[in-house]
Amino acid sequence: MQSIFFITPRSLTLLTFLLVALFIYLAIRAFKGKRIDNHPLCKQCRYDLTGTNTPYTTCPECGHDISLPANLIHGNRQRRPYLTSLYLLFALFSFTPLTYQLTQSNLNSYKPLRLLLFEVTNPTWSFDDKAALSEIQLRIQGNHLSTAQANQLVSALLPYITTQSKLGKFDLLQTIRRTDDNYSLSNQTHLNIFNLIAADSLQGSIPYQSFGMQKRFCEYLNTPDIVSNTRLKHYAANLLNTLNTTDLKTITETQSKPVDPNIAPVALILAHRRNLLSDAQQQQLAQYITHYNFQGRAYRDKNTDYLYHIFSNYDNFVFKSIPYDAQTNLQLDPVGQYTYKTIGFNIDNLFYPYKDTYDQWSNIGYPHTIRFSGGGSSSSRTRLNRLPFKLKPAQSFSLVLDVEYTFTNCDTPIKTQITTQPQTLTYTQDLPDIQRITNNLDAEALADGIQFIAPDKNLHATRISNNTPHTQSIVYCKIDDIPSPRNPEWRTSISQRINSTIAINTPFAYHFYIEHDGKLYDTESTISSETGNTINYSTDKFKNIPTALVGKKVTVLLKPDIHKAQTFMLTDKILANEIRIPNVLIVEYIPATDTTPARISTEPHPPSSSSLPTTSSP
C-alpha cells in the first residue's frame, strides 16, 4: 500500500488527477440523482406537467413557454446527498499520496536561481532562507550553474556579507568561496570580492582565515589584472594610515586588531616588492614589523659591578599570522629575515656609541640575523667596569639598533634605526633584596608539573604533554659530549630536558639536589621563571651523580635559590617552599663505539670503593 507514496512524482501527479476527476464525476452524478419516472417537466422550474392538457403552451407554474419540445425535460430525479459527500471525500483523500511526497521533497530544487537569490537576500519574504542557500550550494557543488549565473550569484551575495544577515557571514562567504573554486569568475567579480575583503581588513572585523579566503585574497593581490598597481598602492597606504593611529605595542593576541593580521603583511610586502612604497612608507613599515625590548638591573656582587639584562625581539601581531598558502603556493614569504646590530645606547637621554671593547654587550652587539615569525630573547650577566658612564641608583636606559629587513624575491631591503622603549635601570650597592613567598598551592602545582626527561639513544628528548604518563628520568653519562652525527668536528652535549608544564602565580628559582639513602648530591643545575609560566628547555646533564645510582630511583629535592634570583632574574620575590619529587629513575647514556651503537641503560654498576662527595645543605 505504501508503495504508492514512493513512485515518481510525475506518475503520482497523473494518477492523483485521474482519481480526483473520477470521484468528482461520480459526485456530480450522485448530486443530480437517479431518474424515477418519465413524467414531462418544465425545464425552467421542474413543474410536473402530468395531467396538464396538451398541446402545452405555457407552464401553469412559472408561465415559461413550453410549446417547444426543447423546453421540456422528462423524468423526476432523486438526489443522493450522502453518496455525493462520500465521493467528494474520496476526491480529497486522493491528494494524500501526492501531498505526502511533496512535503518530503525539496521544492527549492524546482525554483529558478533568481527566486532562490531573492529568498536569501530578502529573508523576511522567505519561508526558509537557509534551505534556499543550501540549494544554491548544491547547484554550485554539482556544477549546475552557468558562468554568467555564477557571476550573478557572487555579485548578489557580496552586499549582504557586511550587513546583519540572518544567515551569517560564514555561510555567505563559504558560498562565495565554493563558487570561486568551481567556476571561472570574471576579473570584475574577483575585484568585487577583493574590495569587500580589503574594506573589512582595514577594520580587522572578519577572520577570513576561517573561511578559506586568505589564499584567494593573496592571489588577487598578486594578480595585476585584478589588483592593479594603483589599487594596491592605495590599499597599502590605507593600511599604513590605519596602523599609524594605533600603538601596536599595547595590543595583545586576544584584543581586536586595527587591521586583519592575516592579510595586511602580504599586501604591504607585495607593495614594497613592486616598488609602490615611498621611502617614508618603507620606514613606517619597518617600524611595524618587529619590536625590541631591553630590561635590566645593575648591582654590586663581591666588589664587582654587574648588569643582568634580558634583550628580546619579537614580531608584533601584524606579522604573526602569515597565511601559510601565501608562502607555499605563491612562493611569497613576506616575513623574510632581518639583521639587527646595536650601535649605541641612551642613558638619561645622552647617546653613547657602541664600541667593540664593551665585550659585556657581545650577545647583542654583533649582527644577528633572524627569520621573521620567530624572534627570541637572550639574557646575560656582565661586568660593567668598561662602560663610559657611572651608574646612578636609577637612570633611563634604551638601546639604539640598526636593522635591515630583507624579503623573498625582492632586491630592495629596508634599512631603519629602532630605539627600544626607555626602561628604568636601577643600581644597588649590594645584591637586590628578594622576598620569599610561601604558597603551598603553587608549590604543589609546580611539583605536579615538573618533568625530568632523559634523552634517548639519539640524544633526543621529546616534550611530553601534561596528561601523558611518563617515567621521570635523569641521564647519567661518564662524558659530557660526543662527536656530532652531522659533523665529527662538532660536539653534541649530553643534555637533560626539564619541563615545567603548569603555570603558577609566583616567580621561582630552584636548585636541584639528588637525595638517596640519606645522602644529598648537588647537581649544579637550576630552574627558574620570572613569571611562574611554563618552561620547556634542555640543560647540561646533571653533575655529581654517583655511578652507583644508575638504575635506581631517587628523590629530587628543589631548594629555593636566592642567589640565582638576585643575580640572574628580574624579580623581587620567589617561591619559598621546598619541593620533593620522588621516584625519579637514573638512566645511563652509553655512547656508541666502533662495534656497538649508542644505547640507554638502567643496568646498575658494580660496587666501587670511590664515591663522590655529598652535601647536607646547599
Side-chain angles (χ1 to χ4, degrees):
M1 174 65 183
Q2 55 179 279
S3 63
I4 192 174
F5 294 92
F6 302 102
I7 63 178
T8 62
R10 181 174 297 180
S11 300
L12 184 59
T13 302
L14 179 60
L15 178 61
T16 299
F17 281 103
L18 287 176
L19 289 174
V20 170
L22 174 62
F23 287 125
I24 289 178
Y25 169 74
L26 294 175
I28 293 174
R29 289 284 304 270
F31 180 77
K32 289 179 65 176
K34 182 180 179 180
R35 192 163 64 175
I36 57 176
D37 55 38
N38 197 30
H39 295 177
L41 305 176
C42 174
K43 188 175 183 179
Q44 181 71 18
C45 64
R46 297 296 194 276
Y47 179 73
D48 193 338
L49 298 174
T50 303
T52 303
N53 295 327
T54 57
Y56 303 125
T57 56
T58 58
C59 175
E61 181 69 22
C62 65
H64 183 66
D65 181 17
I66 57 175
S67 60
L68 297 175
N71 292 334
L72 295 175
I73 58 176
H74 296 274
N76 287 293
R77 292 180 177 272
Q78 184 178 9
R79 292 182 175 178
R80 293 176 285 184
Y82 295 109
L83 192 57
T84 303
S85 300
L86 182 62
Y87 286 142
L88 290 176
L89 188 61
F90 284 163
L92 289 176
F93 280 148
S94 299
F95 284 104
T96 302
L98 181 61
T99 303
Y100 174 83
Q101 190 176 77
L102 290 176
T103 56
Q104 300 301 310
S105 62
N106 179 17
L107 295 180
N108 287 320
S109 61
Y110 301 99
K111 297 178 181 178
L113 179 63
R114 287 183 179 275
L115 179 57
L116 293 173
L117 285 175
F118 177 81
E119 293 186 23
V120 170
T121 55
N122 298 274
T124 56
W125 293 91
S126 173
F127 289 107
D128 191 346
D129 55 336
K130 289 186 177 180
L133 184 62
S134 297
E135 172 59 27
I136 292 176
Q137 293 174 343
L138 286 174
R139 297 187 188 183
I140 294 171
Q141 186 175 358
N143 291 319
H144 298 316
L145 300 180
S146 65
T147 302
Q149 287 178 321
N151 284 280
Q152 173 193 357
L153 168 64
V154 173
S155 300
L157 293 183
L158 281 175
Y160 292 88
I161 291 180
T162 54
T163 62
Q164 297 297 323
S165 171
K166 188 173 71 173
L167 289 171
K169 296 176 180 178
F170 178 83
D171 294 319
L172 296 179
L173 279 170
Q174 285 284 37
T175 303
I176 291 175
R177 182 182 63 80
R178 291 171 182 170
T179 306
D180 201 5
D181 286 340
N182 290 22
Y183 297 90
S184 299
L185 301 180
S186 66
N187 284 345
Q188 182 59 49
T189 302
H190 285 146
L191 181 58
N192 293 339
I193 298 174
F194 167 83
N195 289 335
L196 168 75
I197 301 178
D200 274 0
S201 69
L202 294 172
Q203 304 173 4
S205 59
I206 297 183
Y208 285 97
Q209 185 177 18
S210 302
F211 309 124
M213 297 296 290
Q214 282 186 345
K215 174 188 173 185
R216 209 61 45 80
F217 186 80
C218 295
E219 290 173 346
Y220 297 159
L221 287 170
N222 211 30
T223 307
D225 289 342
I226 298 176
V227 181
S228 64
N229 285 346
T230 301
R231 192 175 298 276
L232 178 57
K233 182 178 181 179
H234 177 72
Y235 176 52
N238 287 337
L239 284 172
L240 291 172
N241 290 337
T242 303
L243 290 171
N244 194 38
T245 61
T246 307
D247 184 2
L248 301 184
K249 299 178 182 179
T250 64
I251 297 178
T252 64
E253 287 290 332
T254 58
Q255 288 179 309
S256 60
K257 311 300 188 294
V259 298
D260 190 325
N262 304 301
I263 289 176
V266 181
L268 293 174
I269 302 306
L270 275 175
H272 174 62
R273 286 172 57 181
R274 295 190 197 175
N275 296 318
L276 302 179
L277 299 183
S278 65
D279 291 341
Q281 288 175 326
Q282 291 180 31
Q283 292 296 309
Q284 188 180 356
L285 170 60
Q287 297 290 325
Y288 293 146
I289 296 176
T290 312
H291 292 154
Y292 302 86
N293 189 38
F294 180 91
Q295 292 178 297
R297 69 180 176 194
Y299 54 85
R300 173 162 290 189
D301 184 16
K302 298 177 181 179
N303 297 322
T304 302
D305 289 335
Y306 291 94
L307 170 69
Y308 174 74
H309 69 269
I310 297 177
F311 174 74
S312 57
N313 50 290
Y314 53 94
D315 308 323
N316 68 44
F317 76 89
V318 173
F319 282 82
K320 277 191 174 179
S321 302
I322 306 300
Y324 174 77
D325 287 331
Q327 300 180 40
T328 56
N329 295 344
L330 301 180
Q331 297 182 349
L332 165 66
D333 188 351
V335 290
Q337 62 185 24
Y338 59 97
T339 302
Y340 67 87
K341 178 181 180 180
T342 303
I343 63 170
F345 32 83
N346 295 319
I347 302 291
D348 288 337
N349 297 321
L350 293 177
F351 176 73
Y352 295 87
Y354 175 84
K355 297 180 181 179
D356 289 342
T357 55
Y358 306 153
D359 59 353
Q360 66 273 10
W361 299 95
S362 60
N363 65 323
I364 56 176
Y366 297 129
H368 283 65
T369 300
I370 298 178
R371 183 178 175 82
F372 293 5
S373 288
S377 64
S378 61
S379 61
S380 177
R381 187 180 83 141
T382 54
R383 296 183 182 184
L384 296 180
N385 56 337
R386 297 186 181 182
L387 290 181
F389 56 86
K390 185 176 181 179
L391 287 172
K392 298 181 295 185
Q395 48 259 300
S396 173
F397 186 96
S398 61
L399 288 180
V400 182
L401 308 165
D402 272 348
V403 186
E404 179 177 284
Y405 296 95
T406 57
F407 309 98
T408 305
N409 299 327
C410 180
D411 297 329
T412 307
I414 299 179
K415 298 180 180 181
T416 190
Q417 189 174 99
I418 292 178
T419 302
T420 62
Q421 287 291 317
Q423 302 287 336
T424 300
L425 178 65
T426 60
Y427 171 69
T428 57
Q429 292 286 342
D430 202 349
L431 290 174
D433 292 330
I434 302 296
Q435 183 182 4
R436 305 176 214 192
I437 306 295
T438 300
N439 188 319
N440 294 332
L441 291 178
D442 277 354
E444 291 175 4
L446 189 60
D448 291 337
I450 287 183
Q451 299 174 342
F452 298 102
I453 306 172
D456 58 20
K457 64 179 181 179
N458 297 316
L459 293 183
H460 296 155
T462 305
R463 179 179 176 180
I464 300 174
S465 65
N466 195 37
N467 297 324
T468 302
H470 79 287
T471 299
Q472 299 272 46
S473 56
I474 291 176
V475 67
Y476 162 83
C477 188
K478 295 179 180 179
I479 59 177
D480 294 333
D481 53 41
I482 62 172
S484 171
R486 296 183 179 180
N487 189 336
E489 297 180 359
W490 300 345
R491 305 293 294 181
T492 299
S493 299
I494 312 298
S495 60
Q496 171 72 46
R497 190 173 185 88
I498 305 172
N499 295 344
S500 168
T501 60
I502 297 179
I504 62 175
N505 298 317
T506 311
F508 59 84
Y510 281 105
H511 196 101
F512 292 117
Y513 297 85
I514 289 179
E515 185 180 51
H516 185 72
D517 285 343
K519 297 180 180 180
L520 205 62
Y521 303 91
D522 184 358
T523 68
E524 302 182 20
S525 295
T526 60
I527 186 174
S528 62
S529 172
E530 295 174 326
T531 60
N533 288 335
T534 60
I535 52 178
N536 304 279
Y537 66 94
S538 294
T539 184
D540 292 338
K541 69 183 182 69
F542 286 3
K543 295 178 172 55
N544 302 327
I545 299 178
T547 305
L549 294 185
V550 172
K552 296 181 180 180
K553 290 188 175 182
V554 301
T555 297
V556 179
L557 178 63
L558 281 67
K559 290 179 176 289
D561 193 332
I562 300 298
H563 192 262
K564 170 85 171 181
Q566 291 173 324
T567 56
F568 285 92
M569 294 178 67
L570 298 178
T571 184
D572 58 359
K573 62 183 178 181
I574 61 170
L575 191 62
N577 302 66
E578 288 192 0
I579 296 175
R580 302 176 68 87
I581 302 177
N583 300 320
V584 181
L585 180 66
I586 305 295
V587 301
E588 182 179 9
Y589 175 79
I590 302 177
T593 66
D594 293 338
T595 57
T596 60
R599 62 190 179 94
I600 297 293
S601 172
T602 58
E603 297 177 3
H605 284 244
S608 173
S609 59
S610 63
S611 62
L612 290 171
T614 62
T615 179
S616 58
S617 62

